[in-house]
Structures are given as C-alpha cells and as structure tokens.
Amino acid sequence: MNNISGKTVIITGASSGIGQATALLLAQKGANVVIAARRKDRLEQVESQIKAKNGQALVVQTDVTKRAEADRLIQKAMDQFKRVDVLVNNAGIMSIAPMKLVHVEEWERMIDINVKGLLYCVAAALPIFNQQESGHFINISSVAGLRVSTGGAVYAGTKFAVRAISDGIRREVGSHIRTTVIYPGAIQSELLNGTSDPLSHERLEKSRQIAVSPDCIARSIAFAIEQPAEVDVNEIVIRPTAQEN
Ligand code: NDP
C-alpha cells in the first residue's frame, strides 16, 4: 500500500496545469479523485484519461468564488465516496501588472479566487475533517508567497495569505489534521493567460522559458500524502534549477 490508494482527494483547478497533473498522478496511485474547476469539458477530458486507466474520478463543476458551489463540491465527494481524506486547494489565477495601472478588477478576482475561494473550500471541508478526526489540507501558494517581485504585489499578497492561513490552520487543528503548503516556482501551465498587461505578459513569457513540468508539483503532493498519518510535511518549495528567484 502506498498510503494514497483508496483515499478520496478533492483537487480544485483540476482542468489544467498543476491540478490536472495532480489528478492524473494520484488516480494512477489509486486515489479516488474529485476534480473541480469551471470548465466542465476540460474536466471531462481529465476524467476520461483517468477512467481509461481504470482509475476513479468524479467531475464536479465548481466556481470556488461561490460559497454554495464550494459546499456542493465537498458534499458531492462525501455522497460518492463517504469520506474526504485530502483537499488540494490549487485553483488560482495570476494577473501581473504594475500597481500604477490600478487594475482593481483583477486585484479583486485574484483575492476572490486565490484567497476567498480557498477559504470557502476550507470552511466546507474542516467540519468533515474534524468529524472524521483526520484530513489533509494541501494549499498551493507560490514562490511569490515568499518574495514579492515587480508587478506582482497583489498576486504575492494572495500567496502570502495562503501561507498565513495554512500556518494558522496547522496550529489550530493540528493533532489529527495535516496541513501542507507548496511553493512552486515557474511551472508550465495556462497561468500566464491571467495577465492582461502586454508588457508584463512579455516579461513573464521570457522569464518562464525555464519553466518545468507540472508533474514535479504533482509528485510533491503525492510525497506529502503518502507519509504516515503522524508525519505532517508542512512546506515544500520547488523551482526550476535554473530559476534564481
Ligand atoms: P492553470 O491556469 O493551468 O490552472 C489554474 C486552474 O484554476 C485551472 O484549472 C482553472 O480552471 C482553475 N480556476 C481558476 N479560477 C477558478 C474558479 N473561480 N473556480 C474554480 N477553479 C478555478 O495554472 P497552474 O496550474 O499553474 O495554477 C495552479 C495553481 O498553482 C495556482 O494557484 C497558481 O497560483 C499556482 N502556481 C503556479 C505557478 C506556475 O508557474 N504555473 C507557480 C506558483 C504557483 P477553470 O478556468 O476551468 O475554472
């Protein structure tokens, strides 16, 4: 047994990038994966890939900015699999732009998805984890949650918040519930699509030529899950070898 097989793992933002890679890897290792995001067609493609290899997957179309949808996601997982072992809070967007452009709507979107969306999912799962006396939050921050770069003030703010919330959860609920924060560096994905400022987009594209496969983040998530229940891997920083910051 690999301590992943048979576990129910909910993954938000599973329609592309890190979430998709994580769903595929954990399903291959025998987890029941509950895959959530807004794009149902993309989730169904991931589900087909999993089922083609005899894996277990449940699609729940979810916008994490809507609290009722976050509640429904956790409830659907309970209905289908009778327990929830891991919640991977991965859904997120990145809109990079200098503060002077005052892209207030983009600031709001980032806060709504990256912070409030994560909190809604935590709020839905925590009572179940408490009742089960077991559970595991895996929250995806970023190296931008450790260090602010130009144009990334608000994005970094949301990712610093993920770190603070995760550490707070760990301190308060630690005795049976595990909390892991992952800080990825540049990873190949669709994340750049969230940046509308052309100059920032161009700069990001250049700096991300060293980006590595999302599979490495999926493997780090699997590593955290497969530890024995009494071992809590709290923080993992992973960046391309060639990435300086
Ligand atoms: P992608 O853009 O490929 O994936 C983002 C995922 O979030 C998509 O599945 C998207 O699905 C989902 N999502 C966005 N908004 C919502 C919403 N309102 N409700 C539900 N799901 C939503 O990028 P990544 O895989 O790179 O991003 C995953 C996480 O990793 C993010 O939190 C990101 O900040 C973080 N990260 C990424 C890094 C990188 O270099 N790629 C580096 C550091 C951290 P849909 O549009 O279908 O809803």
Side-chain angles (χ1 to χ4, degrees):
M1 287 292 273
N2 59 16
N3 209 20
I4 293 177
S5 184
K7 285 190 169 170
T8 301
V9 183
I10 300 176
I11 304 161
T12 68
S15 58
S16 61
I18 291 170
Q20 174 177 345
T22 302
L24 294 173
L25 181 68
L26 297 183
Q28 189 192 317
K29 287 178 178 284
N32 305 315
V33 295
V34 181
I35 48 179
R38 294 163 304 177
R39 288 171 296 175
K40 195 161 180 241
D41 54 330
R42 294 282 296 263
L43 290 174
E44 284 169 351
Q45 286 170 20
V46 178
E47 179 191 33
S48 302
Q49 279 178 272
I50 290 171
K51 291 197 165 160
K53 293 188 174 169
N54 297 320
Q56 292 288 331
L58 173 69
V59 169
V60 185
Q61 187 177 27
T62 309
D63 180 343
V64 295
T65 67
K66 299 186 173 135
R67 187 173 173 195
E69 293 194 19
D71 288 346
R72 182 174 159 272
L73 166 63
I74 308 296
Q75 193 53 54
K76 287 259 179 197
M78 284 298 284
D79 292 347
Q80 179 85 13
F81 298 114
K82 311 300 171 210
R83 57 181 293 113
V84 175
D85 297 288
V86 186
L87 169 62
V88 183
N89 278 308
N90 166 73
I93 60 162
M94 178 179 76
S95 304
I96 301 298
M99 291 300 282
K100 68 182 179 195
L101 295 181
V102 287
H103 283 177
V104 178
E105 283 174 12
E106 293 187 351
W107 302 348
E108 287 174 334
R109 285 297 291 158
M110 284 190 282
I111 292 166
D112 284 348
I113 298 169
N114 302 2
V115 183
K116 289 173 69 179
L118 177 145
L119 284 171
Y120 291 153
C121 293
V122 168
L126 186 52
I128 290 165
F129 285 178
N130 276 327
Q131 201 174 12
Q132 293 175 167
E133 297 193 341
S134 73
H136 191 169
F137 293 110
I138 301 183
N139 296 335
I140 308 302
S141 177
S142 166
V143 291
L146 301 168
R147 181 186 171 280
V148 185
S149 57
T150 306
V154 180
Y155 179 66
T158 66
K159 294 302 186 179
F160 272 69
V162 172
R163 181 188 191 191
I165 292 162
S166 304
D167 197 42
I169 293 171
R170 181 186 67 76
R171 286 167 193 280
E172 285 187 39
V173 303
S175 59
H176 300 289
I177 298 169
R178 303 192 290 180
T179 306
T180 303
V181 193
I182 299 188
Y183 304 89
I187 306 295
Q188 292 153 4
S189 75
E190 299 174 14
L191 196 68
L192 252 56
N193 295 346
T195 291
S196 65
D197 172 44
L199 284 179
S200 300
H201 198 279
E202 197 180 304
R203 190 168 51 78
L204 280 172
E205 264 189 340
K206 273 193 199 136
S207 71
R208 294 174 67 86
Q209 281 166 1
I210 52 163
V212 293
S213 163
D215 294 344
C216 67
I217 306 301
R219 288 194 298 272
S220 73
I221 290 171
F223 170 77
I225 298 173
E226 70 194 357
Q227 301 310 306
E230 68 276 18
V231 176
D232 192 2
V233 178
N234 298 134
E235 302 203 358
I236 304 177
V237 183
I238 301 185
R239 48 164 76 81
T241 311
Q243 183 175 349
E244 188 184 339
N245 292 308

